[in-house]
């Protein structure tokens, strides 16, 4: 049987796709449709023959998927489609084969993730129409965190909000944390079930997770991806009192406050320059004070969260860095670990400068707890979980 899985990640105005071998992790074809719903919607394909960008005439996601179908390599027909779904609520604790009942369940979770789940559902609906014969699987960003203990997932607010509506912490980036924690166990020659690590996924969104006995036992994101560490445009943790202050003293609407905390805060809000870490590193090297402030707050809060997440562990076998920033930024890794000496974490400047490339990911100094740089591969995780279900 062919092992090729088409992996789809549908967002509100974008669609990422990749054709991935669910056994070997080989990726033969991938791409991105952007600006969906707008006049300049376009789709870019990456394959062994190079890159190609085409306009999407009606801007629709379904058109993007059908354009992609025509480009799929003929000798690598997918046997199934794996969809990334952001919120699985309390119902979906692992990947599932999609049927009408599952779709209804994902729709119920939309109230918890109104920015994400409806777009995921739209992608699934389009793929089901275009590939009616292929099994389709939903892989949830929350699933790896579904075993969080009660003391880690409850907010200290009236319990009926949990009982009636499921207001609790769920956590996200689960597929990435799961993948890098398994890779770390391999690198450390330990069984995954006996490995205790903290992983920091630092991309545009950022989160930190403590992994013990093969499960996430605590994580920095909450009911929504807004909680936790500083991100590109999201604030991470703030005093909820600020929200009342903005409403009462600045007469801001709920929508405006949501926009401020989700899209105008984080690295962008602090620096007034950019949400992109590369830009901020360059600017701070050239004396931009806002960029320096954004980097300082980002790293301090990240170190603080890493430290806090150790409370559920008996020991720390490794700290993992992943995501665009975690995999590439020596400055951020160094600045974060410089503030974690109490946890016996010390990075080696030379190994760190190479992103751990020559050391199987290790960037720690002799005598330190291992610090690992591990490139994440969410597409492969989705493909392998999809393959396992069909
Ligand atoms: P997403 O969460 O959208 O998948 P990525 O994981 O690609 O995002 O991460 C994007 C972030 O990674 C951006 O802030 C980008 O500036 C940062 N990044 C990528 N390469 C580097 C680098 N060499 N140095 C510093 N930051 C980097």
């Amino acid at each position: 049987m062919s092992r090729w899985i088409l992996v789809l990640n549908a967002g509100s105005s974008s669609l990422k796709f990749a054709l991935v071998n669910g056994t070997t992790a080989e990726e033969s074809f991938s791409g991105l449709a952007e600006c969906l719903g707008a006049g300049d919607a376009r789709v870019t394909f990456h394959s062994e023959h190079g890159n190609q960008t085409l306009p999407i005439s009606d801007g629709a996601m379904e058109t993007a998927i059908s354009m992609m179908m025509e480009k799929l390599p003929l000798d690598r027909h997918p046997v199934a489609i794996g969809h990334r779904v952001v919120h699985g609520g309390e119902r979906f604790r692992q990947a599932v084969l999609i049927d009408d009942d599952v779709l209804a369940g994902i729709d119920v979770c939309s109230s918890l993730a109104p920015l994400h789940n409806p777009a995921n559902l739209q992608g699934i609906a389009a793929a089901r129409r275009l590939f009616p014969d292929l099994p389709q699987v939903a892989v949830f960003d929350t699933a790896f965190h579904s075993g969080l203990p009660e003391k880690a997932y409850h907010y200290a607010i009236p319990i009926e909000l949990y009982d009636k509506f499921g207001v609790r912490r769920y956590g996200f980036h689960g597929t990435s944390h799961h993948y890098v924690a398994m890779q770390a166990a391999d690198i450390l020659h330990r069984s995954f079930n006996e490995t205790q690590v903290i992983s920091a996924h630092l991309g545009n969104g950022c989160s930190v997770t403590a992994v013990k006995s093969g499960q996430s036992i605590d994580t920095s994101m909450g009911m929504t991806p807004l909680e936790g560490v500083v991100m590109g445009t999201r604030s991470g943790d703030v005093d909820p009192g600020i929200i009342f202050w903005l409403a009462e003293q600045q007469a801001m609407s709920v929508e405006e406050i949501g926009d401020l905390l989700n899209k105008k805060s984080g690295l962008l809000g602090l620096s007034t320059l950019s949400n992109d870490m590369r830009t901020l590193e360059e600017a701070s090297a050239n004396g931009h004070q806002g960029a320096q402030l954004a980097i300082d707050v980002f790293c301090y809060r990240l170190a603080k969260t890493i430290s806090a997440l150790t409370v559920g562990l008996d020991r720390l076998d490794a700290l993992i860095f992943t995501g665009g920033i975690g995999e590439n930024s020596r400055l951020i890794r160094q600045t974060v670990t410089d503030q974690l000496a109490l946890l016996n974490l010390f990075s080696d400047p030379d190994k760190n400068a190479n992103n751990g490339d020559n050391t199987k990911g290790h960037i720690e100094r002799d005598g330190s707890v291992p610090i690992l740089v591990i490139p994440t591969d969410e597409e492969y995780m989705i493909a392998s979980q999809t393959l396992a279900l069909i």
Side-chain angles (χ1 to χ4, degrees), residues 185 190-196 211-214 315 317:
R190 285 177 174 276
S191 90
F192 182 46
N193 285 337
E194 284 163 13
T195 308
Q196 303 198 26
V211 181
K212 182 180 178 180
S213 312
R315 53 166 207 279
D317 296 328

Side-chain angles (χ1 to χ4, degrees), residues 16 173 201-205 267 275-279 281 323-330 332 378:
K16 283 191 202 158
H173 290 147
H201 175 105
L202 310 175
N204 278 308
L267 295 173
N275 63 316
D276 189 288
M277 190 58 90
R278 254 172 310 198
T279 308
E281 288 191 14
I325 299 172
E327 292 165 30
N328 297 299
S329 174
R330 67 179 93 161
I332 299 304
E378 291 163 278

